[in-house]
Amino acid sequence: MTVITGLIAGALQMSTPLLLGGLAEVYAERTGVMVIAIEGIFLLGAWGGFVVAYSSGNILLGLVAAMAVGVAVAAVYGLFTVRLKQHQIVTGTALNILAAGVGIYLYRVIFGVPLLPLTVEPIRPIAIPLLSSIPVLGKALFTQSPLTYLAWALIPLGYWVLYKTQLGLILRSTGENPEAVEAAGIDVDKVRFRTLLVAGAVDGLAGAFYSLAFLGMYTNDIIGGRGWIAFAICFLGNWNPMGVFVGALVFGLADAVAIQLQTSGITLVPNEFLIAIPYILTIVATVVRSNFNVPATLGVPYEKERR
Amino acid sequence: MADRKHGAALGAVAWPILSVAVGLVASGLMMTLLGANPISVYGKIVSMAFRDEYNVADIFAKATPLILTGLAFGFAFRANLFNIGAQGQFYLGSVAAAWVAISMGESSPLVVLPLCALGAALMGCLWASLVGLAKARFNANEFLISMMSTYVALAIMNYLLRGPLREAKGEYPQTDVIADAGWIPALVPGTRLHWGFVLALAAALLAWFILWRTSLGYRIRAVGMNRDAARYAGINSGGIFVAVFAISGAFAGLAGFTEVNGMQHMLVQGFSPMVGAEGIGIAILGNAHPLGIVLASILFGALQVGGNLAVQTSGVPSSIIGIMEGFVMLSVILSYAAQAALSSAASKRALKKGGDRR
C-alpha cells in the first residue's frame, strides 16, 4: 500500500512542471505561437531560480527570479518570431543551444568552480490539514509542494479564462483567425507577444521546480528533454487545459515509476523501456488521434496586408 | 540584370560572414564577464586551431558528422519538413555500424567498411522513414514525432549497451574497441582526419545532385515551396514525405558510421550529444544548401577544435563554444530578418518612384 501511495505521490510531484509547461504551451499555441524555446526556458528557469535562491537564501525570491528569466528568454523568442516574423522552430533551436551554454557558463561566472556541488534546501511539501489525513489517497494527494497546488489551481483557472472570458475568446481567435482579430481593432502581434511573456514566466517556474523543489541544486542536464515532453503534452491534450492535466499525469507516472524502479533495484522490464514509454505513447497518440484541434495559424507569423 | 545577380552572390557571402562576426562579438562580451580578453581568447582559438597539421586536420574530422547531420536537417527543410530527430537517427546508425564491425571481427576492410556504412545508413533511413510514413499516412506532426523518436532511439542504444553490445569486461556501458578492419583509414597519416570526411563531401554532392538535378529533387522542392500547388500539379506529397525522411535519415545514420568507425572506434553511451542540434544550426547558417552546410560545418569544427584547446589556457570554460554557436545562429536568423526588411524597403522605394516592382 505504501508503495502505491508513494507512487501516486511521486507521479503527482513529477507531473507538476509538465503541467505548468503544458498549460503555458496551450496558451501560447492557442494564439498561434509554438514555444520551441521551452526546453531552454525550463533550463534557464531552473538556473535563475537556483542562483537567486542560493545567493539570497530565499526560495520565494528564487521562484520570482525563475519567472523573470523565463519572461526574458520568451521576450527574445517573441522578438524574433512575432515581431521579426522569423521561423519558430529555427529560432527556438538556436535559443535552446544558447541556453545550454549560457546556463553552465554563468553558473561558473557567479560561483566559480565549487569543490562540492552547491545545494539549497528543497521546497518542502505542505500537508493540507484534514484533507491529507484522508485514508489511502489523502497523503499522496495533499502532501505536495506549493508549486503542485499552484499548478492544480491553474487548470480550472486556465480553462475558465480560455473558454469563458472575452480575453480567452481573443486568444483563441488570434490563433484561428488573426485577420478577424485585427479587423476588430486588436493588435495580433501584441496579443501573441504578451501571451508569450506569460507562458515564459510559467515555463520558468516549471524549470525552477526541478532545481528548487525536486533536486535542490542545479546541473546542466537537470531538464533532460522534459521541456519537450511538456511541449508534447500540449499536443496530446488537444490544446485544452483538461487534456494537459491527463497528459501530465501519464508522463508524471512514467517518470515516477522509472525513478522508483531505479532506486529499488527491481528489474521487471529493462529500465530503458520504462524511460522510453512516455515518448512511445506520444508518438502512438499523435499517429492514432486524427481529430486534433490544431490552431489554424500555429507556427505561422502574422503579416499585415499580405500581398 | 547581371549586376543584380552579382549583388545576390555578394550578399550570399557577405551576410553569413557579417552574422558570424556579430555572433562572435556577442560571445566576446560574455567572455569579459569572466575577466577574459575576448581578442586574446579568439587569438588563441585561431592560433590553436591552425597550430599544426594535426589540429587543422582535426577541424575537418570534427566537421565530418556535422556535415551529415546538417544535410539531414537541410535536405528535409527543402521540402518544408522538419527532421529534428537527426540525433536519434545518428545514434541508431552508430549502433548498426558498431554491431556490424563487432560481429565481422577481423576480416577484409574492403568488406567490413562498406557493410558498416550500409548498415548505418540503412538504420538511419528506416528509423526516419517511420516518421515520414506517419506524416504521409496519418498527417501526424513530423516535428513532434521526430523529436520523440530521438529519445526512443537513445533508450534502445542504452539498452543494447547494457546488454548484448556491452564490452567484454562488463564495466562501462560501452562496446569493446572494434577490430582494425572496421577502422576508416586516415586521410592524412598521423592525424585523426579519416576518409569519412570525403564520404561526407560525397554525401553533400549527392544531396545537391538529388535536389537540383533529378526529377525527385524537383518534386521535393515543389512540395517545399507550395504543398497545395504541388498536389494540383499531380505530385504525390505522401511519397515525397517518405522519400525525404528516408534520405535525410540515411545522412544522419552515416554520421554514426563516420563517428564510430572513424573517430571513436567503439560505441560509448551518450557520445556526441549535440551533433543533431548543431546540424540544425549548421543547416540554417548554410541556408540549407549543401555547399553552405559544408562551409558552416568547417566553421563549427574550427570553433570546436580551437575552442577546446583555447579554454585550457585562457580561463574561459568550454561552455563558451555552445554560446558561440548559439549566438552565431541567432545573428544568422537576425540577418534573414534584416535582409527581408531591406528588400521590402527597396521594393517600396521602387513603387514610390513609379517604376515596376522588382
Side-chain angles (χ1 to χ4, degrees):
Chain A
M1 216 58 216
T2 47
V3 175
I4 307 265
T5 317
L7 212 54
I8 293 172
L12 292 172
Q13 188 197 12
M14 296 316 289
S15 69
T16 301
L18 304 178
L19 187 52
L20 289 170
L23 286 173
E25 194 69 33
V26 165
Y27 266 74
E29 294 198 4
R30 279 292 181 137
T31 70
V33 185
M34 295 186 284
V35 194
I36 304 291
I38 186 169
E39 179 80 11
I41 300 180
F42 265 46
L43 186 67
L44 289 183
W47 171 84
F50 178 81
V51 166
V52 171
Y54 181 84
S55 313
S56 68
N58 186 332
I59 292 271
L60 206 61
L61 271 184
L63 293 177
V64 172
M67 291 171 75
V69 171
V71 169
V73 182
V76 175
Y77 183 70
L79 178 74
F80 274 77
T81 58
V82 178
R83 293 266 186 262
L84 298 176
K85 322 282 178 202
Q86 292 306 300
H87 206 288
Q88 294 174 8
I89 295 178
V90 168
T91 306
T93 307
L95 276 177
N96 288 334
I97 291 182
L98 187 62
V102 164
I104 193 163
Y105 185 85
L106 291 183
Y107 187 87
R108 163 84 181 268
V109 168
I110 295 166
F111 296 122
V113 188
L115 288 174
L116 291 169
L118 307 176
T119 55
V120 295
E121 181 69 27
I123 299 173
R124 240 173 291 182
I126 297 175
I128 295 183
L130 294 180
L131 288 178
S132 60
S133 45
I134 297 171
V136 190
L137 281 182
K139 196 159 184 290
L141 282 173
F142 298 106
T143 312
Q144 292 287 347
S145 100
L147 283 176
T148 307
Y149 300 132
L150 175 72
W152 290 349
L154 284 180
I155 304 165
L157 183 70
Y159 188 86
W160 179 74
V161 170
L162 204 53
Y163 292 105
K164 305 287 178 201
T165 67
Q166 197 191 354
L167 174 65
L169 183 64
I170 293 171
L171 294 179
R172 287 182 287 129
S173 310
T174 303
E176 292 298 337
N177 191 346
E179 285 80 9
V181 172
E182 192 79 39
I186 299 166
D187 188 336
V188 168
D189 281 357
K190 214 172 253 175
V191 172
R192 290 186 169 174
F193 193 79
R194 287 181 182 171
T195 311
L196 204 48
L197 295 187
V198 174
V202 178
D203 282 337
L205 201 59
F209 173 90
Y210 292 106
S211 61
L212 295 182
F214 182 53
L215 285 182
M217 58 193 282
Y218 174 79
T219 65
N220 218 39
D221 51 5
I222 191 166
I223 304 301
R226 287 187 181 101
W228 290 126
I229 294 190
F231 183 88
I233 285 173
C234 166
F235 269 76
L236 294 181
N238 208 9
W239 292 270
N240 181 324
M242 300 309 284
V244 165
F245 184 45
V246 175
L249 284 181
V250 172
F251 280 82
L253 185 64
D255 224 357
V257 169
I259 292 171
Q260 189 104 348
L261 284 181
Q262 254 166 356
T263 46
S264 67
I266 306 169
T267 42
L268 295 169
V269 281
N271 205 10
E272 289 83 5
F273 181 69
L274 286 172
I275 292 171
I277 282 180
Y279 304 104
I280 297 172
L281 277 180
T282 310
I283 294 173
V284 170
T286 317
V287 169
V288 169
R289 276 186 76 167
S290 52
N291 57 340
F292 274 118
N293 230 339
V294 192
T297 62
L298 187 60
V300 185
Y302 179 66
E303 310 269 6
K304 271 188 215 174
E305 42 189 302
R306 207 170 353 194
R307 282 181 298 237
Chain B
M1 188 65 212
D3 196 42
R4 176 172 297 159
K5 201 157 193 187
H6 188 71
L10 188 70
V13 179
W15 279 109
I17 292 178
L18 182 68
S19 4
V20 168
V22 170
L24 294 183
V25 168
S27 317
L29 292 178
M30 295 287 285
M31 294 175 194
T32 60
L33 290 177
L34 275 179
N37 178 352
I39 296 171
S40 85
V41 175
Y42 281 128
K44 269 188 190 141
I45 289 178
V46 173
S47 66
M48 285 295 181
F50 297 98
R51 186 178 58 187
D52 50 30
E53 194 190 21
Y54 183 85
N55 284 358
V56 175
D58 230 30
I59 293 174
F60 296 99
K62 284 258 197 278
T64 302
L66 298 178
I67 293 173
L68 290 164
T69 53
L71 287 174
F73 183 81
F75 193 86
F77 193 71
R78 284 282 166 189
N80 203 17
L81 291 172
F82 288 89
N83 177 15
I84 61 161
Q87 186 74 39
Q89 294 140 23
F90 162 77
Y91 276 152
L92 288 187
S94 309
V95 165
W99 203 322
V100 171
I102 287 167
S103 44
M104 299 281 290
E106 269 315 339
S107 43
S108 166
L110 288 176
V111 182
V112 178
L113 284 176
L115 279 179
C116 286
L118 199 67
L122 205 61
M123 199 64 213
C125 168
L126 287 176
W127 190 248
S129 299
L130 294 178
V131 179
L133 202 62
K135 171 85 181 169
R137 180 76 182 73
F138 303 101
N139 195 24
N141 183 308
E142 87 281 5
F143 170 71
L144 192 62
I145 296 191
S146 61
M147 175 170 34
M148 293 293 132
S149 72
T150 292
Y151 293 97
V152 180
L154 182 64
I156 294 174
M157 181 173 92
N158 286 344
Y159 169 71
L160 292 174
L161 280 176
R162 218 164 45 83
L165 282 179
R166 189 168 199 164
E167 59 175 355
K169 267 194 303 180
E171 199 171 338
Y172 297 106
Q174 60 191 31
T175 64
D176 288 318
V177 177
I178 59 179
D180 286 349
W183 291 35
I184 303 175
L187 188 59
V188 181
T191 73
R192 291 204 294 177
L193 181 58
H194 52 83
W195 278 88
F197 179 69
V198 177
L199 182 70
L201 290 183
L205 195 64
L206 180 69
W208 172 82
F209 185 80
I210 294 175
L211 282 173
W212 280 280
R213 288 291 181 273
T214 66
S215 78
L216 173 67
Y218 175 78
R219 280 177 284 152
I220 288 172
R221 288 181 296 125
V223 168
M225 281 177 191
N226 190 333
R227 209 164 278 174
D228 295 325
R231 192 165 39 115
Y232 289 129
I235 295 172
N236 166 15
S237 57
I240 294 293
F241 293 160
V242 179
V244 165
F245 266 93
I247 295 169
S248 167
F251 287 140
L254 262 187
F257 166 67
T258 67
E259 280 310 273
V260 167
N261 298 60
M263 289 290 272
Q264 313 266 349
H265 303 125
M266 61 196 291
L267 186 61
V268 184
Q269 189 173 52
F271 76 113
S272 305
M274 292 299 284
V275 79
E278 283 166 349
I280 298 174
I282 281 163
I284 298 312
L285 180 54
N287 205 8
H289 189 284
L291 179 62
I293 289 171
V294 169
L295 295 176
S297 302
I298 293 171
L299 172 75
F300 272 42
L303 285 180
Q304 289 179 7
V305 171
N308 272 322
L309 292 166
V311 296
Q312 292 168 5
T313 52
S314 63
V316 176
S318 62
S319 46
I320 194 72
I321 298 171
I323 291 179
M324 291 192 290
E325 291 175 353
F327 272 130
V328 166
M329 282 177 71
L330 278 184
S331 59
V332 169
I333 299 167
L334 214 51
S335 84
Y336 288 142
Q339 290 175 61
L342 284 179
S343 86
S344 119
S347 66
K348 262 185 200 149
R349 262 202 310 278
L351 267 181
K352 268 189 187 149
K353 267 200 273 174
D356 277 347
R357 192 153 59 88
R358 283 211 168 245

